Structures are given as structure tokens and as C-alpha cells.
Amino acid sequence: MTDTGTTSDTGGGWTAAWELLLPTAAAPPRRRGRVLQSALREAVRSGRIAAGTRLPSSRELAADLGVSRGLVTDAYEQLTAEGYLRTARGAGTWVSAIVTTVRASAPPGGQERATPGADPGSGFLPGTPDLSLFPRAAWSAAHRRALGRLPHSGLGYPDPRGLRELRVAVAGLLSRRRGVVADPERVVICSGVAQAMTMLGLTLGELGHRAVAVESPGSPEHTALLTAAGMAVVPVPLDAEGLDPGALTGSGARAAQLTPSHQFPSGIAYSARRRAELLDWARAVDGLLIEDDYDGDFRYDRAPVGALQGLDPARVAYAGSVSKSLAPGLRLGWLVVPDRLAARVVERKRTMDLGNPALDQALLAEFITRADYDRHLRRCQRAYRERRDVLVAALGERFPGTEVSGIAAGLHIIARLPRRYGPERAFLGRAARAGVGLRPLAAFAHEPARDDGRVALVMGYAHLPPARIVRAVGLLADAVVSPTSRA
């Protein structure tokens, strides 16, 4: 379905939604932006503000709510990036027609994995968090509280969907931080995104699907998991806005796995237009989009773009985990599934392992509800932003002319070095001999890419302290920069 450009004014639909925005001014100053964005998002999703409704100008809404104009402008820009709103030069801001209205009970108020057991050393392993930041004291305290409150019956075989208190906590977390429509009844607690992909692959097979489209370049892990679940994997190329919808249509698949908030490994965020096109495709083929939101909490230049799932929960299955935010060794994640798939996915979870350990789930629920998880994310956000800045600066100093692409987010960057540092194979060999582990961008392509003579690297930084980043880039430069390449 495409935006028809309906020209409803700010009357009826806007008046009906007004009450949802009133709490904005009463919120603490630091939270007003998030409160306004959440209220607007919910008003659009619930149909309180109809598709095609023109919103008040930022100046008018700011005056009516008693907040700053900048706060309203930021909210409009954020929801436009997510696809809920659209703008036209000189014509104002309108509610997009791509959003599927949801009238459900809302909850209150990745990527390349590192080799198991690997020592990051001086390597730039993408997708690896800093495990030394793990909040041991807070986690231990949450463990004691959770164990003390868990009834004897809670140590029996769990609901395969997960403990209800964790599903409620996760639903609230995802709604608040990622704009996900997350009814606790459709949340399935699982052993990370890996198990979520496996369950979805098996479920799609039961429903007659034979293939799943995947991003190229993309995560080899997803390809392996879906293949093991019996799916044929069809690589679909990317352009500057995301997965190519024309190539997707030609793939013959009716399901597609994607990372729209921060594509792995290219680092782009899918445009609002591309999100709309992909949802149109899913509706047209009666298909499914599988969203891996592997590092959606980490955006350093602006508020994170909300999850694709929020635009049409019936066509998007949403997966996430604590592997990037806390530690991959916890093996805790979640899958938010459309109603039509819920029973089959839950049965798959039951037959796979009868459910995740009850105490681990109770512990995570405690950690989330007491806001320890949010505090930890803020700590990581500060640390990872600094490390990204240090890496970009070090590359600029030691490898002049390096281009860093992708949005300022997540745990990795794409660095393209000038041609004088090639060829890539020789560059990687010298780096390895110097003890610096690197992954070329070409390693994530499903088909051999055209060699343009440049060294293109996927470089992780989150697991390395700033001083080690500077040292590793220095080692790399000393090892690979020859007298001729310095010229």
C-alpha cells in the first residue's frame, strides 16, 4: 500500500488524539522528548490520528503543549525517519498511510558473532561488546532478590513462552525503547537471536515456505541458521536505502530477514521510503519480514530509529537479545511474533528445550524492572561512543584519506582505505603478522564482489579500551604502511 496523499486537516483525528499528548509537559524535562515521541507513535498506530491527517506545525503544537519547539521538531523528525510521518516541502507534516492500525493491549508505561571462546586481543572483531563492563554487582544483587522472591512452583517446568514477569518486562522495555508493539502474550523468551531464527525457519517450513531472502552483504550466521532449519537462502543486494525491493520481488521468496535499524555489516539505516516499500511487498505476497534488532539501543548522533515492527506487527517478526548489551554468554533473547505464527513458534520452542531456565528469566526480569538495565545501557553508550570516536580519529591520523561509512551506531564501523594501501590480501596478511585481527567487508558478501582496489574493513571497537585502540591502529600502520604508500 502506498501513501495516497490524503488531505485531511488537523480536525477530527487530531482532536481525538490530543489527550494522549497532554502528559508531555508534566514529564521530567529530560524525558519529555521520549514521552512525546511515544505518545505520537501510539496515536498513529492506534488509529487515533488517521492516515493522511495533517499535524499542527511544530510552533503550534509546542505552544499548545507548553514545551519547546525544538522538542516537537525532534519528535516529528524521529517519527518521519521511522516511517510514521511524512513531510512535503511547504506542505507540513502528515501521518503516513503505510502504518497498520493496531488495537491491541499494549504493555504499560547479530550480525557477525565473535568466535566462541576467542580472545579479542588487539583485533577489531565486529559485534563484540566489552565484557569487562558487565554489571557484576548489580547482577548479583538482582540474582539474590529474584531467588528470594521466586516461589517453589517457579522452579518447575516453565511456560515455553517464558516467565510471564519477564515477558511483561521485555514488552515494556521494547515498547519504550524501540517502539515495538509488544503484547506479552506474543513475546517468546529464547536463547538469543540464533534460536529465534531457527524457530522461525522451522515454522516457515511448516507453512510451506521454501526460501528466505537475506541481505547481501549480511550475517553469515543468519545464513547458516536458516539453512540448518531447512530453508533455501536467497541473497538480495542492498542499495543506499536498504534491501533492494525489485530484487526481493524477483527472488521468489515470501520471507526476508533484515537488519533495518543498523544494517550489518554496511552500517546504513533503512530509509523511511524503503521501510514502506518492504512492508508493501510483505502485504502483497502474504509474506513475513524478520527483523534482527541486534544493536538498536546504541546510536550516538541522535535517538535510535524505532523498530520496523512497530509499523506493521502482523507482517514483521522482531528478534533481539542481551548479547550486545550485556553478554552473549547469558544466552537470553526474545522474539515478538505475529498472532498467526504465535502458536506454532511456541510449540517449536517447547519441543526444542521446554523453555529457558526459570531463575535466569526471573533475574533478567528483576534487572529490567528495577531500571538496572537502562543504567547499564547508558554506561555502555558513553563508553562505546568514545571508543568509536577514538578509532575514527586514529584511522584519520595514521591512514589519511580513510572513509568511514555507516551511521554512528552499534559496535562497528566500515573503513575504506585509499588505494595506496592495497592490495587487500597483502594488507590483511601484514596485519595478521603484526597481531591485529581484521575482517574484510568482502567476507560478508554471499557472492564475490567487484574488487575496486581498495581495502574495505569491518572494524569493531566496543571491546577495546581507547588506549588499546590507538595502540592497535599504530601497530597496524607500522606493519602495513610502506615508504611508497606514505607518498
Side-chain angles (χ1 to χ4, degrees), residues 36 84 195 212 248 351 422:
L36 177 59
Y84 290 89
Q195 187 178 55
V212 176
L248 177 59
T351 57

Side-chain angles (χ1 to χ4, degrees), residues 117-433:
D119 179 3
S122 293
F124 292 99
L125 297 177
T128 305
D130 185 350
L131 301 182
S132 72
L133 294 179
F134 185 81
R136 292 175 179 267
W139 191 256
S140 178
H143 185 278
R144 290 193 300 272
R145 292 192 300 268
L147 183 59
R149 284 209 297 265
L150 191 68
H152 296 316
S153 60
L155 295 173
Y157 287 109
D159 184 331
R161 295 174 299 176
L163 291 185
R164 177 164 179 79
E165 53 262 44
L166 179 56
R167 288 187 282 116
V168 170
V170 166
L173 176 77
L174 298 180
S175 175
R176 171 169 51 85
R177 295 193 66 96
R178 302 296 300 124
V180 171
V181 178
D183 183 337
E185 299 305 307
R186 294 191 295 108
V187 174
V188 180
I189 304 302
C190 51
S191 299
V193 172
Q195 187 178 55
M197 291 294 162
T198 300
M199 291 191 298
L200 286 171
L202 294 170
T203 298
L204 289 172
E206 291 178 356
L207 295 173
H209 289 251
R210 295 292 176 262
V212 176
V214 298
E215 300 165 319
S216 183
S219 168
E221 184 79 2
H222 289 144
T223 296
L225 290 167
L226 292 168
T227 300
M231 290 288 103
V233 171
V234 184
V236 174
L238 303 168
D239 60 23
E241 295 186 74
L243 200 70
D244 183 339
L248 177 59
T249 299
S251 72
R254 292 191 299 114
Q257 179 276 318
L258 61 167
T259 51
S261 294
H262 185 217
Q263 199 279 329
F264 186 88
S266 74
I268 65 170
Y270 282 31
S271 69
R273 182 179 73 169
R274 185 54 46 83
R275 288 172 167 230
E277 291 171 339
L278 293 174
L279 288 171
D280 284 346
W281 169 84
R283 295 162 188 154
V285 302
D286 190 24
L288 180 72
L289 297 173
I290 303 171
E291 179 176 15
D292 178 4
D293 196 26
Y294 67 103
D295 64 2
D297 280 307
F298 297 124
R299 181 81 187 250
Y300 311 123
D301 58 344
R302 51 161 292 170
V305 174
L308 175 67
Q309 187 266 5
L311 295 172
D312 192 345
R315 291 297 171 191
V316 183
Y318 174 93
S321 76
V322 301
S323 293
K324 301 295 180 284
S325 55
L326 281 170
L330 296 177
R331 306 313 306 139
L332 283 168
W334 42 80
L335 176 62
V336 184
V337 292
D339 286 333
R340 61 195 172 96
L341 300 181
R344 290 180 182 271
V345 169
V346 171
E347 180 59 18
R348 276 294 177 182
K349 174 63 176 174
R350 188 189 69 80
T351 57
M352 291 176 81
D353 58 17
L354 299 180
N356 282 58
L359 182 55
D360 292 352
Q361 296 185 66
L363 198 169
L364 182 57
E366 176 77 12
F367 199 74
I368 292 172
T369 55
R370 289 181 63 94
D372 290 326
Y373 188 68
D374 287 283
R375 281 189 287 272
H376 176 69
L377 287 176
R378 289 194 294 271
R379 181 187 180 195
C380 291
Q381 177 96 354
R382 291 191 296 268
Y384 296 164
R385 180 193 294 116
E386 178 190 12
R387 294 171 191 194
R388 184 185 189 276
D389 291 346
V390 168
L391 175 57
V392 172
L395 289 172
E397 178 181 349
R398 300 304 298 268
F399 295 91
T402 294
E403 297 176 1
V404 175
S405 62
I407 61 176
L411 312 182
H412 74 278
I413 63 169
I414 301 296
R416 290 181 170 85
L417 279 58
R419 286 184 175 83
R420 64 180 179 272
Y421 295 108
E424 186 173 86
R425 183 183 296 274
F427 182 96
L428 295 172
R430 291 193 292 269
R433 288 190 292 274

Side-chain angles (χ1 to χ4, degrees), residues 20-29 31-33 35-37 39 65 67 71:
L20 295 178
L21 308 185
L22 291 180
T24 301
R31 295 190 61 245
R32 285 176 187 166
V35 170
L36 177 59
Q37 291 173 26
L65 292 177
V67 298
L71 189 125

